[in-house]
Amino acid sequence: MRDVLPEEMAVRDRALATILEVYGRHGFVRIETPAVEHLALLTRSDGGENEKLIFRILKRGEKLASARGVEELADLGLRFDLTVPLARYYAHNHARLPQPLKAIQVGPVWRAERPQHGRFRQFTQCDIDTLGVASEVAEIELILATGEALRALSLPDLTVRVNDRRVLGAVARHAGFEEARLASVFIAVDKLDKVGRAGVAAELEAAGHPQRAVERLLGLLAQAVEAGPGAPGAALARLQRLLGGEAEAAVWTALGRIIETAGAQAGPGMQVAFDPALARGMGYYTGPIFEVGCRGVPWSIAGGGRYDRMIGQLLGRDVPATGFSIGFERVVSLLLERGGAGRAEPERVALVFDEGTPHLARVLALAGELRESGRTVLLELRGRRPGRQFQDLAARGYGRIGVLREDGSLEWRGSGARADDGTVVESGGGA
Amino acid sequence: MRDVLPEEMAVRDRALATILEVYGRHGFVRIETPAVEHLALLTRSDGGENEKLIFRILKRGEKLASARGVEELADLGLRFDLTVPLARYYAHNHARLPQPLKAIQVGPVWRAERPQHGRFRQFTQCDIDTLGVASEVAEIELILATGEALRALSLPDLTVRVNDRRVLGAVARHAGFEEARLASVFIAVDKLDKVGRAGVAAELEAAGHPQRAVERLLGLLAQAVEAGPGAPGAALARLQRLLGGEAEAAVWTALGRIIETAGAQAGPGMQVAFDPALARGMGYYTGPIFEVGCRGVPWSIAGGGRYDRMIGQLLGRDVPATGFSIGFERVVSLLLERGGAGRAEPERVALVFDEGTPHLARVLALAGELRESGRTVLLELRGRRPGRQFQDLAARGYGRIGVLREDGSLEWRGSGARADDGTVVESGGGA
């Protein structure tokens, strides 16, 4: 886990404000769940590998004293994503929520991974989810809204890759995998980008899947991927001809409609493509899945999918659900490399004075007036090395510095040295 | 811990934006620390009663296997405030931070309290801290900035009560308490509002303090408080005459300057008063302390103080530090009672259509245009009971509803039914 310094925090705040503004215009509303959930919820959530990475919270008082064995020591855990808590939230609060619910969630999640370059054990996710809409119209909207948010951050050349778990399931069945073991196939295929074909094959064979099925699966995916770029409709149609019997016609129709409609509306700087090898790591996906890539970046910056059965496990009746999660840390690191998510900032003015000044009240009053007129005003005591102090202030964007003289007037330094306030302020010597 | 529903979340977001805007204009910059800290830091932090309320995180893997006894089971903990993490942050990052640092922190903190009315185990704090300024000018600025932020939320009749731990220490010494045991005296006196004189006396006597000292202390405080309201300068001067020898003259001067200068600049709707019985519960305070009350509200809505020795324990050299924390949950509950922190919202338009419509692309394009013009646009599939659906939408602020006809045109319902877009939109039947 790590600290965020002020310069990065300013970029994070501006990026988040931009994303929230776009999502808000699409009618999504913010909600919030606690960081801590019952461990039983988190460990029964089909969260794939992430379930192994939960930070567990020790029981307290008598409950701790009466715990027998390591397994009984913890009762709560830090959430590893925002989707599982959302399902619990919906099951708990649905009677008081808009129907369908279009929710925005922003917040930290925790995974007890070994720290590695660019990955942290606490990181922020930024999700939108539509609960209560079975139609692929929901996916089209998620893709367009997320694309618009990412484009508003000036991220160049976005590609949204789309697949459907049921299509990937059809490929796997066609290759000869057992229906009951498809979840482990998806988790392995999800690592294709990271570990390559040989790595995926090794994981699948180590898990006891037949070698022949592994070879056929990887062959089918390679073949379909090659046909992919540029002609999503054609690639989809060919795969459907090959596997049609393995998945319902409606699945293919919906996937085609998502890719075609979202692609046509995506606007400049954003493509929507069919990616038959896209798998996503979570166990809970049931339908369309998607990931966003950005030119020149080896990892995806957003991802999501449909999880129609998760809420049913908590509520007792299924509620269709689909969501898109922005990898906020990755987006921020891109923005930092590229020089920030530029928004206009108010002018910054520093007022510098000696600690024991009898004119403190006048300085405070002037600061108040300058803030009223929209400026950021920093009060600073004069340091032992004023020259260096003024340099530091200028480096932090305080281009205008007013130094209090003994008589209560101000000497202005730096750019735009004249103040528009006639009472205490005097124009004076430059830097 | 609890879920936040969309209506409350909108109030929270607006309140936070207002507070951050005011603090930003005062030159404070946002920073962030992780929610999780090393347990050793949290338990050695002089955090008073809060140290008993830490949620502890179970060790993982080999470290857990080799733990001997309950005390070794946990290595991390959830922060119980934002001040202890800030001290660690400063000690860790000071070379890369502006000097002095004026920091804004907003985030959740956790305390394993028994849930009770209006108190939660996860709650948000909103702090500003000035690190590196020994002068009481820092306190004056904290008080004025926080007062301005709270007034910007239209909270009525604010009173900032101010005291100094060294003045309270002088009162306690004068009453006959041992110097080495003053910390427990402060923690007990802090509960005066909650448990009354008898409760405080019982706690102090149970802790083994001499009965005579307890009686003198409570007598002195009652006497000083009675003299307090309306004439802070006079009350302060009288207490100084009584106790002068027990605290340095500079302490009294600084306290007087805070109360007088902040009081004079506070503006309408805010008073600054001397409260000799103000104690604050944390062990780490070393100088001026303050709390904000609001008319008609029995608990304080913000509080803080100077903690000049905390950073030294981590960094090896003392760094003067003082901070003010807004009890964000309490502020939000006040705003919810009073009808929100009003800001203008964009116009809301809902577009309603049948799932299988061949005109989806046109609807999406129109939605995009309406959003471009600053509106919030919600897409909704037509439900089985459209009348009720339209009522629900209107209740959520969607006063304009466009319903897609089979021919691709729109029928507008609700207020302002004419659209300013001639292509797809047609004016038509009212609700």
Side-chain angles (χ1 to χ4, degrees):
Chain A
M1 308 191 202
R2 75 202 177 92
D3 292 326
V4 183
L5 296 177
E7 303 78 40
E8 177 181 336
M9 200 67 207
V11 172
R12 297 174 74 91
D13 280 348
R14 286 200 296 272
L16 188 57
T18 301
I19 294 169
L20 291 179
E21 195 188 326
V22 171
Y23 284 161
R25 278 206 304 265
H26 282 258
F28 287 82
V29 292
R30 279 251 274 171
I31 66 154
E32 208 167 77
T33 71
V36 173
E37 295 280 356
H38 286 289
L39 205 46
L41 174 81
L42 298 174
T43 54
R44 275 191 241 129
S45 62
D46 259 346
E49 309 265 287
N50 292 332
E51 287 184 19
K52 299 175 194 158
L53 305 176
I54 298 170
F55 281 106
R56 290 154 192 262
I57 294 175
L58 207 57
K59 290 179 180 173
R60 295 146 305 281
E62 281 172 26
K63 282 188 188 167
L64 178 59
S66 62
R68 285 159 304 177
V70 169
E71 284 308 307
E72 289 192 8
L73 288 172
D75 54 354
L76 303 170
L78 293 175
R79 62 187 179 199
F80 57 78
D81 73 4
L82 300 177
T83 307
V84 174
L86 175 64
R88 200 265 314 138
Y89 174 96
Y90 187 85
H92 207 235
N93 300 296
H94 63 97
R96 297 190 289 161
L97 293 169
Q99 301 298 339
L101 176 64
K102 297 186 177 181
I104 311 174
Q105 289 189 94
V106 182
V109 303
W110 292 264
R111 294 180 195 168
E113 294 185 276
R114 276 179 201 285
Q116 46 177 304
H117 181 71
R119 286 177 82 107
F120 301 98
R121 305 208 290 180
Q122 172 177 328
F123 54 99
T124 295
Q125 285 192 335
C126 178
D127 288 16
I128 48 172
D129 292 86
T130 298
L131 308 191
V133 177
S135 164
E136 67 274 10
V137 168
E139 275 86 358
I140 293 169
E141 193 177 25
L142 292 180
I143 291 170
L144 291 175
T146 300
E148 190 181 326
L150 296 171
R151 285 206 317 281
L153 297 171
S154 306
L155 294 176
D157 284 358
L158 302 171
T159 301
V160 185
R161 292 174 297 125
V162 184
N163 196 9
D164 190 302
R165 269 287 175 88
R166 293 163 297 182
V167 166
L168 191 60
V171 173
R173 270 194 301 273
H174 193 78
F177 285 91
E178 270 177 68
E179 181 71 34
R181 299 197 59 202
L182 289 186
S184 68
V185 177
F186 298 152
I187 289 176
V189 171
D190 181 54
K191 299 173 188 157
L192 200 53
D193 282 351
K194 257 190 254 172
V195 302
R197 286 183 60 157
V200 173
E203 175 168 338
L204 287 170
E205 284 170 27
H209 293 287
Q211 198 191 337
R212 193 160 165 274
V214 174
E215 279 167 18
R216 286 194 65 184
L217 174 76
L218 293 170
L220 275 165
L221 290 179
Q223 201 183 334
V225 168
E226 273 164 32
L236 198 60
R238 204 171 45 241
L239 199 59
Q240 182 179 6
R241 274 195 300 279
L242 190 63
L243 309 173
E246 310 275 2
E248 285 173 39
V251 171
W252 300 96
T253 309
L255 185 54
R257 195 180 184 204
I258 293 170
I259 293 167
E260 189 186 333
T261 312
Q265 297 289 328
M270 177 171 152
Q271 279 198 314
V272 180
F274 171 48
D275 180 358
L278 180 68
R280 305 281 302 149
M282 305 299 205
Y284 48 64
Y285 290 123
T286 58
I289 48 180
F290 20 88
E291 267 184 27
V292 184
C294 176
R295 187 187 54 192
V297 179
W299 17 261
S300 68
I301 57 175
R306 181 167 282 277
Y307 51 100
D308 280 347
R309 282 191 289 275
M310 192 195 290
I311 296 169
Q313 287 163 18
L314 300 165
L315 188 60
R317 61 174 170 86
D318 279 347
V319 173
T322 179
F324 214 142
S325 176
I326 292 180
F328 189 69
E329 305 298 336
R330 291 177 167 187
V331 166
V332 167
S333 70
L334 284 178
L335 296 175
L336 288 168
E337 281 171 25
R338 280 150 209 248
R343 280 196 166 196
E345 293 262 338
E347 189 195 0
R348 297 182 190 185
V349 179
L351 299 180
V352 178
F353 52 94
D354 290 315
E355 201 282 321
T357 178
H359 305 295
L360 181 56
R362 291 174 77 183
V363 173
L364 293 170
L366 172 64
E369 286 167 32
L370 290 168
R371 286 187 193 111
E372 282 289 313
S373 67
R375 295 174 177 87
T376 294
V377 183
L378 181 73
L379 299 181
E380 282 235 329
L381 296 177
R382 193 202 302 262
R384 263 167 289 178
R385 299 167 62 186
R388 181 158 162 191
Q389 183 179 15
F390 299 151
Q391 277 174 20
D392 283 352
L393 285 171
R396 283 156 59 196
Y398 287 91
R400 252 177 92 189
I401 303 173
V403 184
L404 189 72
R405 296 200 191 93
E406 279 192 20
D407 65 359
S409 68
L410 285 175
E411 179 182 332
W412 288 98
R413 309 174 62 92
S415 55
R418 262 205 73 83
D420 45 9
D421 177 282
T423 52
V424 183
V425 182
E426 280 176 11
S427 69
Chain B
M1 308 190 202
R2 77 203 175 92
D3 293 324
V4 183
L5 296 177
E7 302 79 39
E8 177 182 337
M9 199 67 207
V11 172
R12 296 175 75 91
D13 280 348
R14 286 200 297 272
L16 188 56
T18 301
I19 293 168
L20 291 178
E21 195 188 325
V22 171
Y23 284 160
R25 278 205 306 265
H26 282 258
F28 287 81
V29 292
R30 278 251 275 171
I31 64 153
E32 208 168 76
T33 71
V36 173
E37 296 279 357
H38 285 291
L39 206 46
L41 174 81
L42 298 175
T43 54
R44 275 191 242 130
S45 62
D46 259 345
E49 308 266 288
N50 292 332
E51 287 183 21
K52 299 176 194 157
L53 305 176
I54 298 170
F55 281 106
R56 291 156 191 259
I57 294 174
L58 206 58
K59 289 180 180 172
R60 296 145 304 282
E62 281 173 26
K63 283 187 187 168
L64 178 59
S66 63
R68 285 160 305 179
V70 168
E71 284 309 306
E72 290 191 8
L73 287 172
D75 54 353
L76 302 170
L78 292 176
R79 62 188 179 198
F80 56 78
D81 73 3
L82 300 177
T83 307
V84 175
L86 175 65
R88 201 265 315 137
Y89 174 96
Y90 187 85
H92 207 237
N93 300 296
H94 62 97
R96 298 190 290 162
L97 293 169
Q99 301 299 339
L101 176 64
K102 296 185 178 182
I104 311 173
Q105 289 188 94
V106 181
V109 303
W110 292 263
R111 295 180 194 167
E113 293 184 277
R114 274 178 203 284
Q116 46 178 303
H117 181 71
R119 286 176 83 108
F120 300 98
R121 305 208 290 179
Q122 171 177 330
F123 55 97
T124 296
Q125 285 192 335
C126 178
D127 289 15
I128 49 172
D129 292 87
T130 298
L131 307 190
V133 177
S135 164
E136 67 275 8
V137 168
E139 274 85 357
I140 294 169
E141 193 178 25
L142 292 180
I143 291 170
L144 291 176
T146 300
E148 190 181 326
L150 296 172
R151 284 206 317 281
L153 297 172
S154 307
L155 294 176
D157 284 359
L158 302 171
T159 301
V160 186
R161 292 173 298 125
V162 184
N163 195 11
D164 190 302
R165 268 288 173 88
R166 293 162 298 181
V167 166
L168 191 60
V171 173
R173 269 194 302 274
H174 193 78
F177 286 91
E178 271 178 67
E179 181 71 35
R181 298 197 60 200
L182 289 187
S184 68
V185 177
F186 298 153
I187 289 176
V189 171
D190 181 53
K191 298 173 189 158
L192 200 53
D193 282 351
K194 255 189 256 173
V195 302
R197 286 181 61 157
V200 173
E203 175 166 338
L204 287 170
E205 284 170 28
H209 292 288
Q211 198 190 337
R212 194 162 163 274
V214 174
E215 278 167 18
R216 286 194 65 184
L217 174 76
L218 293 170
L220 276 165
L221 291 179
Q223 202 183 333
V225 168
E226 273 164 32
L236 198 59
R238 202 170 49 240
L239 198 59
Q240 183 178 6
R241 275 196 301 278
L242 189 65
L243 308 173
E246 311 274 4
E248 286 173 39
V251 171
W252 300 95
T253 309
L255 186 54
R257 195 180 185 205
I258 293 170
I259 293 168
E260 190 185 333
T261 313
Q265 297 290 328
M270 177 170 152
Q271 278 198 313
V272 181
F274 171 48
D275 179 359
L278 180 67
R280 305 280 303 149
M282 306 299 206
Y284 48 64
Y285 289 123
T286 59
I289 47 179
F290 19 89
E291 266 183 29
V292 184
C294 175
R295 188 187 54 191
V297 178
W299 17 261
S300 69
I301 57 173
R306 180 167 282 278
Y307 50 100
D308 279 349
R309 283 192 288 277
M310 192 196 291
I311 296 170
Q313 288 163 17
L314 299 165
L315 188 60
R317 61 174 170 84
D318 279 347
V319 173
T322 179
F324 215 142
S325 177
I326 293 179
F328 189 68
E329 305 299 336
R330 290 176 167 187
V331 166
V332 167
S333 70
L334 285 178
L335 295 175
L336 288 169
E337 280 171 24
R338 281 150 208 250
R343 282 194 165 198
E345 293 263 337
E347 189 196 0
R348 297 183 190 183
V349 179
L351 299 180
V352 178
F353 52 93
D354 291 314
E355 200 283 322
T357 178
H359 304 294
L360 181 57
R362 292 174 76 183
V363 173
L364 292 170
L366 173 65
E369 286 166 32
L370 291 167
R371 286 187 193 111
E372 282 289 313
S373 67
R375 295 175 176 87
T376 294
V377 182
L378 181 73
L379 299 181
E380 282 235 328
L381 297 177
R382 192 201 303 261
R384 262 167 290 177
R385 299 166 62 185
R388 181 160 162 189
Q389 183 178 15
F390 299 151
Q391 276 175 20
D392 283 353
L393 285 170
R396 283 157 58 196
Y398 288 91
R400 251 177 92 190
I401 303 172
V403 184
L404 189 72
R405 296 199 191 95
E406 278 193 21
D407 64 0
S409 66
L410 286 174
E411 179 183 331
W412 288 96
R413 309 174 63 90
S415 54
R418 261 207 73 83
D420 46 8
D421 177 283
T423 52
V424 184
V425 182
E426 280 177 10
S427 70

